[in-house]
Amino acid sequence: MTDQTPNPLLQYIVKNPEAFAHNLARVVENAGKAMAAYVEPREKGEIKSGLADEMSVIFKTLGQVGEFWMSDPQRAIEAQSRLWTGYMSLWNSSLKRMMGETVDPAISPDPRDKRFGDPEWNDNQFFDFVKQLYLITSRWAEEMVVEAADLDEHTRHKADFYVKQIANALSPSNFVLTNPELLRETLESNGENLVRGMKLLAEDIAAGKGELKIRQSDLGKFKVGENLGMTPGKVIAENDVCQVIQYTPVTETVLKRPLMIVPPWINKFYILDLNPEKSFIRWAVEQGHTVFVISWVNPDERQMRKSFEHYMREGVLETLDVIKRATRTEEVNAIGYCVGGTLLSVTLAYMAAVGDTRIKSATFFTTQVDFTHAGDLKVFVDEEQIETLERQMVEKGYLDGSRMASAFNLLRSNDLIWPYVVNNYLKGREPFPFDLLFWNSDSTRMPAANHSFYLRNCYLENRLTQGTMEIAGQRLDLGKVTIPIYNLATREDHIAPPLSVFVGSQFFGGPVEYVLSGSGHIAGVVNPPSRNKYQFWTGPRPKGVLDDWIAQAEEHPGSWWPHWDSWIRSLDDTTVKARKPGAHRMKIIEDAPGRYVKAVS
């Protein structure tokens, strides 16, 4: 009786050589269109590439790692022997497997690593060998950085980041010939996937005006104001920096103190109003808060000289004036998210210095005021890199939104870059519609003066908690901010790590409720009670060491939103009749979410 088991290698044979050759020609044709979309704006002088400066920083940093290992012959031999020991272990296990023995792999990927999920990565000896060779090499490179003793902490942080980015880019899962799933699909479709993928690549480069703007969601499925940012409200004020939105009440009575939300301007505010189910804004309105939101302008060269002080005065302080006119109420509860929270904390310190007491409580979502333990964004911040960035911003008056979007995506490149490169350009598939990723790609520009101040005074020099930051002629002291504060951190945050938020809590002069939420910078904040996801921790006053606080903290299932609402009400639960937008002769400019948030970079 003959063995009827099909040969597994047959799946890696071209099915129709003629069709395959024809499609390869189409791939080359679409690749030419992609190259033309890349080259044309550079030939016209519309794009001045900063690639040389960026590569110089990378080579200089990695060169310091190499210098440490190569400057001592003994260390050099140790480094080489460690790598070759890993290779020999792989070679020996591969030979044994070829001879029919069952052997454990020389190295295995992290169980959370999604890149090697296809069974062929383990079952097919070629792909298994390629995978292990990659893992041994990349892990060795990362160890070389960690063990380079002479590096200062910032250089080590940069080197570790660059090595991981290079390793992620060179993963065999990102190439057709070394990814079994991609190779099968290419051969089964006679290369149709690559034709579609190269067409998508050309479209994305053209959409990015010469820069690759990777689509992470089906962009045609979403429109701000139609199925995103839908909570009813009115724009009741605007200036060169922002619009102010007042949302329509749905309860007969509301808390007397209105709620002012200061979102980040690095992204758009509708992250807090994605859809009715996920909307923090809608939920807050339903709980009886009179919600006002600052919708920042998507700046261009006209806002070039708008500084942090302008954003404080024309953003936060003018909004407080608007709220008073709209509600006839002086006292306000305020929320700041990410850099919006940093601006709010600066404003609070300024208000304390000048005796302005209108804000009676402050809530911070994933906000840093002390940058000693700031996240991976510190990789991009040192004098050399800031000077380069400032030169680039002076040319246009702003930082392109794509630059910040790329920086954020690089923090999680194995989640936000390479899966989409594989799916879009190698599999030739449109990404699924996902509101969060649509928002993530809806980037905003940064005014030159504002961004320079933020990078220098916060990330580089950490002036706010040192008491040396000056704004509008006032030296700021967070210790003079004595109002109650609700400080939310998220456990897996790479941008505002929980340790950074915890340490920052200790610089305020009043009571601070430190709360730690499950998940990350976005999902840990946008976590409605109806979904019953994740958890949060509450504990004693934030002082000392974060690990000690966590050991004493109490875990609660689900969303922190109701806990926050109870905290707000514990400060003042006085209610009044609901206030509608347009009351007290306030001029209504347009419906929410307004036109500022719809401006595309």
Side-chain angles (χ1 to χ4, degrees), residues 26 62-63 153 157 192 245 283 299 457 465 470 544:
R26 294 170 63 198
L62 296 182
E153 196 55 40
H157 192 183
E192 281 282 355
I245 302 170
W283 182 87
N457 284 267
T465 53
E470 292 188 10

Side-chain angles (χ1 to χ4, degrees), residues 241-255:
V241 165
C242 68
Q243 291 186 316
V244 179
I245 302 170
Q246 180 181 354
Y247 287 90
T248 305
V250 296
T251 55
E252 291 186 5
T253 61
V254 294
L255 287 176

Side-chain angles (χ1 to χ4, degrees), residues 314-333:
E314 299 174 28
V316 181
L317 295 179
E318 284 196 16
T319 298
L320 289 174
D321 295 337
V322 171
I323 291 173
K324 182 179 179 180
R325 295 199 304 272
T327 65
R328 296 295 192 265
T329 301
E330 187 92 19
E331 298 182 351
V332 173
N333 296 316

Side-chain angles (χ1 to χ4, degrees), residues 532-599:
N532 198 30
K533 291 182 69 176
Y534 310 128
Q535 68 283 94
F536 66 97
W537 291 264
T538 58
R541 179 182 173 187
K543 61 180 181 178
V545 180
L546 175 60
D547 288 342
D548 293 341
W549 184 93
I550 292 174
Q552 301 175 62
E554 179 182 358
E555 182 176 343
H556 310 271
S559 173
W560 55 269
W561 292 9
H563 179 266
W564 167 82
D565 187 59
S566 297
W567 177 83
I568 285 285
R569 293 174 188 276
S570 72
L571 303 176
D572 188 342
D573 60 357
T574 305
T575 58
V576 296
K577 186 178 179 180
R579 308 119 159 170
K580 295 181 179 179
H584 304 296
R585 299 183 179 180
M586 293 296 296
K587 180 182 178 182
I588 292 176
I589 298 172
E590 59 183 326
D591 290 337
R595 68 187 186 283
Y596 280 20
V597 75
K598 296 177 183 178

